[in-house]
Amino acid sequence: MLLFLVICPIAAAILIIVGAPARFTALVAAILNFIVGIALFSEFDRSTAGFQFVRSFTVSTDWRIHFAFGVDGLSLLMVLLAAIVTVSAIWFADKIDDYERAFYACLLFISAGAIGAFASIDLFFFYAFHELALIPTFLLIGIWGTGSRVRAAWKITIYLSLGSFILLIGLILLYQSLPPPERTFDIRELLQASVVHPIAVPDQRHIYLLLLIGFGVLISLFPFHSWAPDAYASAPAPAAMLHAGVLKKFGLYGFLRLVIPMLPDGAHYWTELLVILLLGNIIYIGLVTIAQKQLDWMLGYSSVMHMGYIFLGIASANVLGSTGAATLMFAHGLSIALLFGIAGQVRNRTGTLSFEDLGGLAKSMPFAGLAFGFAAFAAIGLPGFANFASEIMIFFGAFRHGWEMQRFHLFQIATVLALWGVVISTVYMLRAYRSTFMGTMPKRWAKLIDLGAGLRIPVALLVAGLMCVGFFPQTVVNIITPAIRTYFTTTK
């Protein structure tokens, strides 16, 4: 099933390029991947922490490189997120006037790259699949974007290329830091080798810093964040849904998969730096988000802000906080995808996303207003949605930080400050909801057409995912915790 999840979108993209009906082929491939993803989730053994559904093919015996796939609870959740957002993004794609085949092929290649990166258990392909997804991202923004799309495309390309290069150096040093007999690209063996032969503490500090910067650029960690709002505001809605909802989680996933278990001393050494940076995401970017006057820019900065919460959970150094971080990765992916999808539909119908020009759209687009309201409430952490359950775990996990024993320490201060971020996000999100869908409606929007029956399917899918995990968080917590628990010697 894992091989199918990776190969299906690539095969569909090739079929589209050679002449198959673009939208139909892309949608069929996405639906098939969604069905297989649900089947994978249902058949997963939640009682074990190891990788399951493993398939491996040797690429290089000398270098010990294998085309290998497998999932544990953490990677399974990310694969399922990619499958859900992919089918929703393709469904939200409107009629494309120029280069329609290339547009849908690019969306499928981003999906394949994300799924391949999450499912790879070989370090080489873990990195390579992510790079595969960056090229179509550049094309989607540069060709089909809006506003200063060319500038935004080059900006995201330069930033992410530099981040990927720094990440590559860090991964090479991570590989070389182990004794020669233990060196392998198999992530499972790397994790085991780092336990048997711990990496020297000075090496951990250097490698951790490189990986923090490399992954941080890809994640839009403060102060490496400026590419993200510009890119998402200029990107077509399906591209923003896939990148902000799925592909940006690659860096967070890599942090949980490699950095935390293999470089614990490095993480401990740089913990104060990480806390300062993540508070920059939450507080500073949150205040910048309030100041935005366009819906697309507000959503872009909002996505950057919420990365701070996930980093807070990752930095907590305990099972509860890290599990909350993984759950929030899933929840944020669904909520931000829905927000960008609705924003794209509003822009297509009105030609603007300026708060000054909008208002009262719920009168002519009631279903869109309802859907945006659900997504907004999820984003601010309203109880009943997945974001609330995950943020609660992060806050409690961070408050009881895994390394500190003092009565009141850095992470407890950071948690208190991060709680103010919830207030900030409530202000800007409800303001955006009011400015777009509530209040007096300008006469020129009186005849706007609401979302049709077809678009209500992906909206229902995303909202259902948010509410199912919100009301029953154990459905994902039970599959994540066994994988996370192996990273820590004691359960905090």
Side-chain angles (χ1 to χ4, degrees), residues 6 25 48 97 113 137 195 205 249 259 266 346 433 456 466:
V6 177
T25 304
T48 180
D97 296 326
T137 302
V195 175
R205 294 174 181 176
K249 306 304 184 295
V259 178
V346 171
Y433 189 33
R456 301 188 182 197
L466 288 168

Side-chain angles (χ1 to χ4, degrees), residues 323-348:
T323 301
T327 308
L328 186 55
M329 289 161 61
F330 180 80
H332 175 267
L334 297 181
S335 59
I336 198 65
L338 182 53
L339 287 168
F340 273 120
I342 300 299
Q345 293 300 312
V346 171
R347 178 163 51 191
N348 291 341

